[in-house]
Amino acid sequence: MAEKKCVLVGVSGGIAAYKICTLVSSLMKKDYEVHVLMTKGAEKFVGVLTFETLSKQRVITDIFETGMDTEVPHISLAKKADCFVIAPATANVIAKIANGIADDMLTTTFLAATCEKLVVPAMNTAMLENPVTQNNIEKCRQLGMHILESGSGWLACGDTGKGRLPEAPVILDAVESLLQEDRFLTGKKVLVTAGPTQEAIDPVRYITNHSSGKMGYALARAARDLGAEVTLVSGKTALEAPVNVEMVNVTSAADMADAVLSRFEQMDAVIMSAAVADYTPAVKADRKLKKKDEDLYISLERTTDILKAMGERKKDSQVLIGFAMETEDLMKNAREKLVKKNTDYIIANSIAESGAGFAVDTNRVTIIGRDAEKDLGLLSKEETARQILQYCLKGGD
Ligand code: CTP
């Protein structure tokens, strides 16, 4: 008989801790081995006995507790875990795990665990939006942890806003998707492009676009988490470089073309999510242009269409994925790009829709393949990335 998968559930001290009783109960019904780890704060909200009864396991809250057996509990639990979820994750616990602080049973076991990690923040909106917390969440993401976005709505403190713990079925889904995820990109080389390009007019001015790079960075992280060796060729963004990803920073469309085309042959898959300028100033002034009384006309010339260049030289084994971001006739234009640029997939991305496009954390895309199409619906950019890779590089949902 196959061994049960082991899920560690870390509960920290927030009022939403009561929702975790349902999560633990649902995990047990699905036949997982579940161990609950509580902080002292969590014990103020839910009794140890509740979780012990639901999980049918002891809840160890004291790291120095001497057990009846000789095992070191935080290490043996960490070794056994297939997934470690912290829910609710308070601002305090997030700050600790972002910085490797291990001062109780939960954070020590978390630091020792090498399995998939899911962090589910839940707190007051102001605490969540505080840049310190946002930085810590981003740091956790960069370190390879998965973050399940908080919901919005009524909060126990009486405020209304972001910070609600997602309901138990949503957390369960996220845990299960991490448990099922096979690292199907192991041994594969994937190149992702992200962000805008900057086309210099003179040493102080340039032409660019609104791309934040978030979708491309999410794709790079997701490909890394699925086992790929990832190269991220990025235009200038405000985002932190993901860990364990080869970063190639570029500025202009010409730089990006060099960086991508020189590596293309070695790649198993390339995802062009960068917003590459189609035109660049024909002459880049060496010195700052001084204003004159008359109007200024800048002559623009075409840049290399990087995706098309790869489409022309691609081998059958290579998978080429492009993006189409449009304000109108999205599907028609996207289908045309698939043929014109000889790609395997085009990710059609409407910027007219709310929650999709530049700078936001969600996206709504349709994957267009040679003989099938799939609308992914409104999802976080992380989940959109995961599903794009699953569909295009593994085949199927
Ligand atoms: N792209 C590229 N090189 C360029 C311009 C775009 O590789 N010089 C890639 C983008 O990264 C994206 C895809 O081509 O994956 C679609 O880009 P888009 O600018 O929307 O399409 P275009 O072919 O430029 O068509 P149009 O401007 O007519 O929409």
Side-chain angles (χ1 to χ4, degrees), residues 193 253 272-278 302-308 310 321-326 337 340-341 346:
T193 67
M272 280 296 299
S273 59
V276 189
D278 288 323
R302 284 291 311 268
T303 56
T304 305
D305 188 326
I306 310 168
L307 189 59
K308 190 156 174 262
M310 286 189 284
I321 305 171
F323 269 72
M325 194 172 238
E326 308 279 349
K337 274 173 200 172
K340 202 172 80 191
K341 303 198 186 197
I346 288 284

Side-chain angles (χ1 to χ4, degrees), residues 209-214 275 325 349 351 356-361 363 381:
N209 58 65
H210 289 299
S211 171
S212 66
K214 285 184 174 178
M325 194 172 238
N349 199 170
I351 44 174
F358 295 126
V360 292
D361 290 320
N363 210 351
K381 283 189 172 161

Side-chain angles (χ1 to χ4, degrees), residues 373-392:
E373 295 181 2
K374 182 171 182 187
D375 177 7
L376 296 186
L378 188 66
L379 297 170
S380 68
K381 283 189 172 161
E382 301 296 320
E383 187 54 22
T384 303
R386 211 185 60 75
Q387 293 203 18
I388 288 172
L389 296 174
Q390 175 86 18
Y391 190 90
C392 303

Side-chain angles (χ1 to χ4, degrees), residues 206-283:
Y206 55 80
I207 301 170
T208 192
N209 58 65
H210 289 299
S211 171
S212 66
K214 285 184 174 178
M215 192 63 235
Y217 277 58
L219 279 159
R221 280 195 300 271
R224 171 201 65 193
D225 292 345
L226 290 166
E229 198 180 304
V230 181
T231 303
L232 176 58
V233 178
S234 175
K236 296 251 164 75
T237 74
L239 306 173
E240 247 183 78
V243 291
N244 292 335
V245 163
E246 186 203 4
M247 262 323 274
V248 182
N249 292 303
V250 297
T251 305
S252 65
D255 297 341
M256 188 169 278
D258 285 347
V260 174
L261 296 176
S262 62
R263 290 173 172 80
F264 179 54
E265 212 187 320
Q266 288 90 54
M267 295 297 152
D268 296 293
V270 175
I271 309 175
M272 280 296 299
S273 59
V276 189
D278 288 323
Y279 294 93
T280 191
V283 178

Side-chain angles (χ1 to χ4, degrees), residues 73-143:
H74 64 277
I75 300 298
S76 61
L77 279 181
K79 275 189 187 156
K80 213 180 216 207
D82 295 296
C83 178
F84 196 145
V85 51
I86 303 186
T90 58
N92 187 43
V93 152
I94 294 169
K96 287 189 198 178
I97 58 173
N99 291 286
I101 295 172
D103 62 355
D104 59 14
M105 184 65 190
L106 190 159
T107 48
T108 308
T109 313
F110 195 79
L111 190 63
T114 54
C115 60
E116 296 288 350
K117 291 173 175 169
L118 177 68
V119 178
V120 194
M123 66 197 78
N124 164 272
T125 313
M127 291 172 79
L128 180 65
E129 286 176 355
N130 190 312
V132 171
T133 308
Q134 287 299 314
N135 281 343
N136 287 332
I137 291 177
E138 189 49 35
K139 203 165 167 192
C140 290
R141 216 192 292 275
Q142 299 301 332
L143 291 166

